[in-house]
Amino acid sequence: MTISELVRTDGTAEVTLGQLHDQAGQVDDDLLPCRANNPELWFAESPADVENAKALCQACPVQALCLDGALERREPWGVWGGQLFLQGVVIPRKRPRGRPRKNQAAA
Ligand code: SF4
């Protein structure tokens, strides 16, 4: 089974990557921020770059479809539909690399 064949357990089709590509294929590449810019920005390590990708997604004509699909597929990583995904869930922001603070309450 490929990712484009995934179907929910209730038998209804989820938004597949194929559908997203079909929708995106009808839109000029210049209007899709993740195609018009360096796509690595959407999988960046730097929190600032991730926030930049999220902001760029806001102008995307397929943003809602992209986000719905990413939620349904439980994307493991990256910015999709203007949100950052990690292990299948949306997280508010990417933490910088390094050890956590000793006193989390002070953060
Ligand atoms: S919403 Fe999806 S398709 Fe649009 S720029 Fe963001 S990641 Fe790319």
Side-chain angles (χ1 to χ4, degrees):
M1 178 168 64
T2 67
I3 197 162
S4 63
E5 296 169 331
L6 292 175
V7 175
R8 290 181 183 153
T9 53
D10 66 3
T12 60
E14 59 185 40
V15 179
T16 65
L17 281 176
Q19 289 172 305
L20 175 60
H21 284 285
D22 288 348
Q23 288 283 321
Q26 297 171 16
V27 178
D28 232 350
D29 279 1
D30 291 346
L31 298 176
L32 298 175
C34 62
R35 290 191 183 169
N37 296 278
N38 181 353
E40 292 186 14
L41 196 61
W42 277 255
F43 300 93
E45 285 293 331
S46 150
D49 286 347
V50 166
E51 292 303 313
N52 190 15
K54 287 166 63 177
L56 288 168
C57 283
Q58 301 309 312
C60 180
V62 297
Q63 189 250 345
L65 179 68
C66 182
L67 178 59
D68 286 351
L71 287 167
E72 290 182 8
R73 293 189 308 273
R74 298 182 52 81
E75 280 293 339
W77 164 244
V79 173
W80 297 82
Q83 299 293 331
L84 174 61
F85 283 77
L86 187 61
Q87 298 177 345
V89 297
V90 172
I91 60 171
R93 60 182 26 94
K94 184 166 176 36
R95 290 184 181 183
R97 285 184 168 225
R99 301 176 80 172
R101 294 181 182 197
K102 284 185 178 177
N103 183 357
Q104 288 292 337

